[in-house]
């Protein structure tokens, strides 16, 4: 069958699992990665921006990288060094390439330019808080319609990882998420429902390191901090949260998803940042603005992810 190739933009808060997701996007033939924009989230804007350049160095690529928000729209920044290390990449030794290009254009302007170049074709993959995307949608009201769609790691139909009701990408900037989910763009939402099933296990990263490639050894090294943290919660591996939207775009057959209405809680203290879905309720929202991904064939997902890393 004819393979599709999609023009893609990735907005992220690199982060360990963001980095592995970008390596997968780089390796997958279905994805034509046009650019990377960085937001604060797992780490400061300083660190997430530097990490994007460090990743270009590891991959030997020069994906254009653009700086975005240094703080959420209207709240204090909440970072996650316990999972991603102090530098956001597991505190591994990975240099910034000396020929890194520091572009002055802001993330939201570069994203809009890419969408104009690929009208109704560009897939926007968002792997961190939605601050940059909300800023772009506010500045360019025609952007939601210009995009083909968005695929995000964020939210959860049930549960949370920063409170029992909220996942951190949404919790970090709920006002941004509300603006994006109400914008009219169609969103494939990979929440914790599916991402906590996408676990990379010690045998997997040992296998990758044993290939002897820099990419394989980097994956093993950069997940160790997250592994120490994940073990405390009885997880049998490190969740490849951000690889889920990337692999969904290239291999939707690995997943189970349902169309749903999704709205964001921005007022409550108890449920701030909750992605409220109508999946399990008689009362339905008016709009089905999201495809909520709920399940994945974990073994096939991890096999494809490992093949991506081995191909680098
Ligand atoms: O809740 C998991 C999400 O938060 C992932 O995107 C991870 O990178 C962090 O940003
Ligand atoms: Ca992320």
């Amino acid at each position: 069958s004819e393979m599709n190739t999609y023009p893609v933009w990735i907005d992220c808060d690199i982060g360990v699992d963001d980095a592995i997701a970008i390596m997968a996007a780089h390796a997958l033939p279905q994805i034509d990665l046009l650019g990377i924009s960085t937001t604060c989230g797992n780490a400061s804007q300083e660190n997430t921006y530097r990490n994007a350049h460090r990743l270009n160095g590891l991959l030997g690529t020069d994906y254009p990288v653009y700086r975005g928000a240094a703080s959420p729209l209207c709240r204090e920044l909440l970072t996650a060094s316990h999972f991603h290390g102090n530098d956001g990449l597991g505190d591994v030794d990975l240099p910034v390439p000396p020929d890194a290009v520091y572009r002055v254009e802001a993330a939201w302007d570069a994203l809009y330019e890419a969408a104009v170049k690929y009208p109704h074709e560009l897939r926007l993959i968002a792997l961190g808080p939605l601050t940059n995307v909300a800023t772009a949608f506010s500045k360019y009201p025609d952007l939601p319609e210009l995009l083909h769609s968005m695929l995000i790691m964020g939210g959860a139909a049930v549960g949370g990882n920063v409170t029992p009701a909220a996942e951190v990408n949404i919790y970090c900037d709920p006002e941004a998420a509300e603006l994006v989910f109400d914008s009219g763009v169609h969103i494939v939402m990979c929440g914790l429902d599916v991402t906590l099933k996408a676990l990379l296990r010690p045998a997997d990263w040992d296998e990758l390191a044993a290939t002897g490639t820099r990419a394989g050894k980097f994956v093993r090294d950069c997940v160790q901090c997250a592994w120490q943290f994940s073990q405390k919660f009885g997880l049998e591996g490190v969740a490849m949260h951000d690889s889920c939207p990337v692999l969904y775009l290239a291999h939707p057959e690995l997943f189970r998803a349902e169309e749903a209405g999704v709205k964001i809680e921005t007022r409550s203290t108890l449920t701030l940042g909750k992605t409220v879905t109508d999946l399990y309720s008689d009362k339905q929202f008016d709009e089905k603005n999201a495809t909520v991904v709920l399940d994945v064939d974990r073994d096939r997902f991890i096999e494809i992810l490992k093949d991506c890393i081995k191909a680098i």
Side-chain angles (χ1 to χ4, degrees):
S1 66
E2 186 60 25
M3 183 189 74
N4 291 320
T5 300
Y6 305 107
V8 167
W9 185 278
I10 295 183
D11 188 76
C12 54
D13 60 334
I14 310 179
V16 166
D17 59 315
D18 305 67
I20 294 170
I22 290 168
M23 294 168 81
H26 169 67
L28 285 162
Q30 295 87 345
I31 291 180
D32 175 16
L33 182 53
L34 301 179
I36 297 172
S37 51
T38 58
T39 180
C40 58
N42 288 321
S44 67
Q45 171 57 240
E46 209 60 47
N47 277 327
T48 61
Y49 180 65
R50 179 184 306 114
N51 291 339
H53 286 296
R54 294 168 75 190
L55 209 52
N56 266 330
L58 174 72
L59 299 175
T61 52
D62 62 349
Y63 292 118
V65 178
Y66 300 90
R67 291 178 77 107
S71 73
L73 292 183
C74 52
R75 290 176 190 270
E76 288 304 305
L77 174 61
L78 168 98
T79 54
S81 58
H82 54 280
F83 191 90
H84 297 276
N86 294 317
D87 67 355
L89 264 189
D91 295 321
V92 300
D93 174 22
L94 184 67
V96 176
D99 60 346
V101 177
Y102 298 100
R103 292 175 172 78
V104 292
E105 202 177 5
W108 35 86
D109 296 329
L111 164 59
Y112 183 65
E113 230 174 87
V116 167
K117 268 192 206 121
Y118 291 82
H120 309 299
E121 285 305 314
L122 186 65
R123 273 74 172 173
L124 171 57
I125 295 182
L127 304 177
L130 292 167
T131 315
N132 288 347
V133 179
T135 303
F137 284 10
S138 300
K139 185 169 181 181
Y140 302 105
D142 60 328
L143 182 52
E145 206 274 331
L146 205 49
L147 292 169
H148 174 277
S149 57
M150 279 182 71
L151 302 96
I152 78 165
M153 191 282 140
V158 175
N161 61 3
V162 67
T163 71
E167 178 279 328
V168 67
N169 284 343
I170 308 298
Y171 184 85
C172 193
D173 197 339
E175 287 76 16
E178 179 181 54
L179 190 150
V180 171
F181 273 80
D182 288 353
S183 69
V185 69
H186 187 79
I187 298 171
V188 172
M189 179 182 120
C190 297
L192 297 174
D193 319 276
V194 63
T195 68
L196 284 172
K197 295 169 184 165
L199 296 182
L200 193 72
R201 296 180 183 138
D204 298 316
W205 60 70
D206 288 344
E207 178 189 331
L208 289 172
T211 63
T213 64
R214 287 184 65 212
K217 286 186 275 190
F218 169 77
V219 169
R220 184 227 14 230
D221 295 346
C222 82
V223 300
Q224 293 312 309
C225 179
W227 174 226
Q228 293 315 311
F229 183 77
S230 303
Q231 276 182 302
K232 284 196 200 110
F233 291 86
L235 286 173
E236 57 187 33
V238 174
M240 296 288 100
H241 299 286
D242 291 343
S243 291
C244 287
V246 171
L247 267 73
Y248 185 94
L249 180 57
H251 291 282
E253 71 279 3
L254 298 181
F255 299 86
R256 180 175 66 82
E258 307 259 354
E259 298 305 304
V262 181
K263 289 187 177 298
I264 310 299
E265 175 58 62
T266 59
R267 302 269 183 283
S268 159
T269 47
L270 176 62
T271 59
L272 181 68
K274 182 172 179 58
T275 48
V276 179
T277 80
D278 57 12
L279 278 172
Y280 308 116
S281 67
D282 290 344
K283 180 64 183 164
Q284 298 286 294
F285 287 129
D286 295 340
E287 304 285 321
K288 294 248 178 286
N289 56 328
T291 300
V292 178
V293 186
L294 296 167
D295 213 343
V296 63
D297 179 330
R298 182 253 170 225
D299 293 347
R300 287 174 65 203
F301 174 96
I302 293 295
E303 272 320 300
I304 290 173
L305 185 57
K306 286 194 289 190
D307 288 347
C308 286
I309 304 301
K310 290 174 185 174
I312 293 170

